[in-house]
mmCIF file of all heavy atoms in Angstrom:
data_model
loop_
_atom_site.group_PDB
_atom_site.id
_atom_site.type_symbol
_atom_site.label_atom_id
_atom_site.label_comp_id
_atom_site.label_asym_id
_atom_site.label_seq_id
_atom_site.Cartn_x
_atom_site.Cartn_y
_atom_site.Cartn_z
ATOM 1 N N GLU A 178 1.254 -16.768 16.106
ATOM 2 C CA GLU A 178 1.518 -16.266 17.461
ATOM 3 C C GLU A 178 2.355 -17.220 18.237
ATOM 4 O O GLU A 178 3.208 -16.812 19.036
ATOM 5 C CB GLU A 178 0.196 -16.007 18.153
ATOM 6 C CG GLU A 178 -0.577 -14.770 17.638
ATOM 7 C CD GLU A 178 -1.914 -14.592 18.343
ATOM 8 O OE1 GLU A 178 -2.880 -15.244 17.928
ATOM 9 O OE2 GLU A 178 -1.953 -13.836 19.322
ATOM 10 N N VAL A 179 2.162 -18.533 18.053
ATOM 11 C CA VAL A 179 3.003 -19.517 18.723
ATOM 12 C C VAL A 179 4.455 -19.374 18.285
ATOM 13 O O VAL A 179 5.349 -19.292 19.130
ATOM 14 C CB VAL A 179 2.481 -20.952 18.433
ATOM 15 C CG1 VAL A 179 3.463 -21.994 19.003
ATOM 16 C CG2 VAL A 179 1.105 -21.143 19.037
ATOM 17 N N LEU A 180 4.690 -19.307 16.995
ATOM 18 C CA LEU A 180 6.060 -19.193 16.497
ATOM 19 C C LEU A 180 6.697 -17.862 16.946
ATOM 20 O O LEU A 180 7.865 -17.830 17.335
ATOM 21 C CB LEU A 180 6.068 -19.282 14.986
ATOM 22 C CG LEU A 180 5.668 -20.647 14.412
ATOM 23 C CD1 LEU A 180 5.562 -20.620 12.897
ATOM 24 C CD2 LEU A 180 6.671 -21.737 14.828
ATOM 25 N N ASP A 181 5.924 -16.774 16.854
ATOM 26 C CA ASP A 181 6.493 -15.471 17.301
ATOM 27 C C ASP A 181 6.824 -15.518 18.803
ATOM 28 O O ASP A 181 7.836 -14.960 19.229
ATOM 29 C CB ASP A 181 5.456 -14.353 17.043
ATOM 30 C CG ASP A 181 5.362 -14.038 15.565
ATOM 31 O OD1 ASP A 181 6.247 -14.410 14.786
ATOM 32 O OD2 ASP A 181 4.389 -13.353 15.161
ATOM 33 N N SER A 182 5.985 -16.202 19.594
ATOM 34 C CA SER A 182 6.261 -16.291 21.020
ATOM 35 C C SER A 182 7.532 -17.106 21.287
ATOM 36 O O SER A 182 8.346 -16.768 22.173
ATOM 37 C CB SER A 182 5.062 -16.989 21.714
ATOM 38 O OG SER A 182 3.919 -16.196 21.637
ATOM 39 N N LEU A 183 7.751 -18.186 20.515
ATOM 40 C CA LEU A 183 8.954 -18.989 20.624
ATOM 41 C C LEU A 183 10.200 -18.117 20.257
ATOM 42 O O LEU A 183 11.245 -18.199 20.947
ATOM 43 C CB LEU A 183 8.861 -20.215 19.712
ATOM 44 C CG LEU A 183 7.908 -21.304 20.164
ATOM 45 C CD1 LEU A 183 7.656 -22.285 19.011
ATOM 46 C CD2 LEU A 183 8.458 -22.072 21.372
ATOM 47 N N HIS A 184 10.103 -17.358 19.182
ATOM 48 C CA HIS A 184 11.223 -16.535 18.746
ATOM 49 C C HIS A 184 11.545 -15.466 19.788
ATOM 50 O O HIS A 184 12.709 -15.247 20.167
ATOM 51 C CB HIS A 184 10.912 -15.882 17.397
ATOM 52 C CG HIS A 184 10.775 -16.846 16.271
ATOM 53 N ND1 HIS A 184 11.508 -17.992 16.121
ATOM 54 C CD2 HIS A 184 9.939 -16.799 15.157
ATOM 55 C CE1 HIS A 184 11.181 -18.640 15.037
ATOM 56 N NE2 HIS A 184 10.204 -17.927 14.451
ATOM 57 N N ASP A 185 10.499 -14.809 20.295
ATOM 58 C CA ASP A 185 10.710 -13.766 21.314
ATOM 59 C C ASP A 185 11.341 -14.302 22.572
ATOM 60 O O ASP A 185 12.213 -13.669 23.201
ATOM 61 C CB ASP A 185 9.375 -13.090 21.676
ATOM 62 C CG ASP A 185 8.873 -12.136 20.619
ATOM 63 O OD1 ASP A 185 9.661 -11.852 19.681
ATOM 64 O OD2 ASP A 185 7.719 -11.671 20.712
ATOM 65 N N ALA A 186 10.981 -15.520 22.933
ATOM 66 C CA ALA A 186 11.514 -16.153 24.147
ATOM 67 C C ALA A 186 12.866 -16.745 23.958
ATOM 68 O O ALA A 186 13.501 -17.222 24.927
ATOM 69 C CB ALA A 186 10.555 -17.235 24.658
ATOM 70 N N GLY A 187 13.356 -16.767 22.731
ATOM 71 C CA GLY A 187 14.702 -17.349 22.464
ATOM 72 C C GLY A 187 14.709 -18.862 22.566
ATOM 73 O O GLY A 187 15.724 -19.461 22.902
ATOM 74 N N LEU A 188 13.534 -19.494 22.298
ATOM 75 C CA LEU A 188 13.439 -20.978 22.407
ATOM 76 C C LEU A 188 13.688 -21.582 21.066
ATOM 77 O O LEU A 188 13.390 -20.982 20.014
ATOM 78 C CB LEU A 188 12.052 -21.358 22.941
ATOM 79 C CG LEU A 188 11.747 -20.896 24.388
ATOM 80 C CD1 LEU A 188 10.313 -21.275 24.760
ATOM 81 C CD2 LEU A 188 12.716 -21.501 25.358
ATOM 82 N N PRO A 189 14.179 -22.827 21.039
ATOM 83 C CA PRO A 189 14.424 -23.501 19.742
ATOM 84 C C PRO A 189 13.126 -23.866 19.034
ATOM 85 O O PRO A 189 12.169 -24.318 19.690
ATOM 86 C CB PRO A 189 15.220 -24.750 20.127
ATOM 87 C CG PRO A 189 14.868 -24.985 21.564
ATOM 88 C CD PRO A 189 14.609 -23.656 22.183
ATOM 89 N N VAL A 190 13.126 -23.712 17.746
ATOM 90 C CA VAL A 190 11.967 -24.083 16.898
ATOM 91 C C VAL A 190 12.401 -25.248 16.049
ATOM 92 O O VAL A 190 13.462 -25.263 15.421
ATOM 93 C CB VAL A 190 11.530 -22.879 16.045
ATOM 94 C CG1 VAL A 190 10.423 -23.273 15.100
ATOM 95 C CG2 VAL A 190 11.061 -21.733 16.941
ATOM 96 N N ARG A 191 11.552 -26.258 15.986
ATOM 97 C CA ARG A 191 11.834 -27.420 15.157
ATOM 98 C C ARG A 191 11.500 -27.138 13.724
ATOM 99 O O ARG A 191 10.403 -26.608 13.368
ATOM 100 C CB ARG A 191 10.997 -28.644 15.658
ATOM 101 C CG ARG A 191 11.333 -29.048 17.087
ATOM 102 C CD ARG A 191 10.676 -30.356 17.451
ATOM 103 N NE ARG A 191 9.215 -30.244 17.467
ATOM 104 C CZ ARG A 191 8.501 -29.844 18.534
ATOM 105 N NH1 ARG A 191 9.113 -29.518 19.646
ATOM 106 N NH2 ARG A 191 7.187 -29.814 18.470
ATOM 107 N N VAL A 192 12.436 -27.456 12.839
ATOM 108 C CA VAL A 192 12.288 -27.180 11.407
ATOM 109 C C VAL A 192 12.516 -28.466 10.637
ATOM 110 O O VAL A 192 13.576 -29.115 10.807
ATOM 111 C CB VAL A 192 13.263 -26.092 10.941
ATOM 112 C CG1 VAL A 192 13.121 -25.842 9.445
ATOM 113 C CG2 VAL A 192 13.056 -24.815 11.726
ATOM 114 N N PRO A 193 11.581 -28.877 9.769
ATOM 115 C CA PRO A 193 11.796 -30.051 8.949
ATOM 116 C C PRO A 193 12.877 -29.859 7.888
ATOM 117 O O PRO A 193 12.948 -28.792 7.278
ATOM 118 C CB PRO A 193 10.435 -30.334 8.324
ATOM 119 C CG PRO A 193 9.762 -28.990 8.311
ATOM 120 C CD PRO A 193 10.287 -28.258 9.510
ATOM 121 N N VAL A 194 13.698 -30.801 7.693
ATOM 122 C CA VAL A 194 14.742 -30.803 6.659
ATOM 123 C C VAL A 194 14.646 -32.115 5.895
ATOM 124 O O VAL A 194 13.970 -33.023 6.378
ATOM 125 C CB VAL A 194 16.181 -30.621 7.265
ATOM 126 C CG1 VAL A 194 16.319 -29.228 7.852
ATOM 127 C CG2 VAL A 194 16.439 -31.684 8.287
ATOM 128 N N PRO A 195 15.269 -32.233 4.726
ATOM 129 C CA PRO A 195 15.084 -33.436 3.924
ATOM 130 C C PRO A 195 15.376 -34.746 4.663
ATOM 131 O O PRO A 195 14.722 -35.751 4.407
ATOM 132 C CB PRO A 195 16.093 -33.206 2.766
ATOM 133 C CG PRO A 195 16.148 -31.698 2.621
ATOM 134 C CD PRO A 195 16.037 -31.186 4.007
ATOM 135 N N ASP A 196 16.339 -34.729 5.594
ATOM 136 C CA ASP A 196 16.701 -35.974 6.236
ATOM 137 C C ASP A 196 16.158 -36.083 7.660
ATOM 138 O O ASP A 196 16.668 -36.856 8.468
ATOM 139 C CB ASP A 196 18.232 -36.184 6.234
ATOM 140 C CG ASP A 196 18.937 -35.005 6.889
ATOM 141 O OD1 ASP A 196 18.267 -33.979 7.201
ATOM 142 O OD2 ASP A 196 20.183 -35.124 7.161
ATOM 143 N N GLY A 197 15.177 -35.261 8.007
ATOM 144 C CA GLY A 197 14.576 -35.335 9.350
ATOM 145 C C GLY A 197 14.139 -34.006 9.874
ATOM 146 O O GLY A 197 13.362 -33.321 9.221
ATOM 147 N N GLU A 198 14.697 -33.610 10.998
ATOM 148 C CA GLU A 198 14.225 -32.426 11.714
ATOM 149 C C GLU A 198 15.403 -31.779 12.454
ATOM 150 O O GLU A 198 16.253 -32.488 12.990
ATOM 151 C CB GLU A 198 13.116 -32.787 12.698
ATOM 152 C CG GLU A 198 12.363 -31.585 13.259
ATOM 153 C CD GLU A 198 11.191 -32.076 14.135
ATOM 154 O OE1 GLU A 198 11.457 -32.537 15.245
ATOM 155 O OE2 GLU A 198 10.047 -31.946 13.679
ATOM 156 N N GLN A 199 15.462 -30.474 12.431
ATOM 157 C CA GLN A 199 16.497 -29.732 13.146
ATOM 158 C C GLN A 199 15.841 -28.722 14.084
ATOM 159 O O GLN A 199 14.663 -28.375 13.886
ATOM 160 C CB GLN A 199 17.421 -29.001 12.178
ATOM 161 C CG GLN A 199 18.226 -29.884 11.274
ATOM 162 C CD GLN A 199 19.095 -29.099 10.275
ATOM 163 O OE1 GLN A 199 18.969 -27.878 10.183
ATOM 164 N NE2 GLN A 199 19.950 -29.792 9.583
ATOM 165 N N GLN A 200 16.578 -28.301 15.102
ATOM 166 C CA GLN A 200 16.111 -27.270 16.010
ATOM 167 C C GLN A 200 16.957 -26.034 15.839
ATOM 168 O O GLN A 200 18.199 -26.124 15.753
ATOM 169 C CB GLN A 200 16.172 -27.748 17.474
ATOM 170 C CG GLN A 200 15.175 -28.812 17.847
ATOM 171 C CD GLN A 200 15.066 -29.024 19.318
ATOM 172 O OE1 GLN A 200 15.755 -28.395 20.084
ATOM 173 N NE2 GLN A 200 14.162 -29.919 19.699
ATOM 174 N N HIS A 201 16.314 -24.867 15.744
ATOM 175 C CA HIS A 201 17.027 -23.633 15.509
ATOM 176 C C HIS A 201 16.477 -22.522 16.460
ATOM 177 O O HIS A 201 15.255 -22.414 16.601
ATOM 178 C CB HIS A 201 16.902 -23.183 14.083
ATOM 179 C CG HIS A 201 17.506 -24.137 13.093
ATOM 180 N ND1 HIS A 201 18.795 -24.055 12.708
ATOM 181 C CD2 HIS A 201 16.977 -25.199 12.451
ATOM 182 C CE1 HIS A 201 19.055 -25.033 11.825
ATOM 183 N NE2 HIS A 201 17.963 -25.738 11.678
ATOM 184 N N VAL A 202 17.387 -21.766 17.035
ATOM 185 C CA VAL A 202 17.020 -20.603 17.827
ATOM 186 C C VAL A 202 17.228 -19.372 16.928
ATOM 187 O O VAL A 202 18.382 -19.018 16.648
ATOM 188 C CB VAL A 202 17.828 -20.474 19.115
ATOM 189 C CG1 VAL A 202 17.436 -19.231 19.899
ATOM 190 C CG2 VAL A 202 17.661 -21.734 19.978
#
Side-chain angles (χ1 to χ4, degrees):
E178 287 177 276
V179 173
L180 293 174
D181 287 344
S182 297
L183 289 165
H184 295 324
D185 285 350
L188 295 177
V190 175
R191 297 189 296 272
V192 178
V194 292
D196 57 350
E198 192 175 74
Q199 296 178 351
Q200 290 193 359
H201 296 271
V202 179

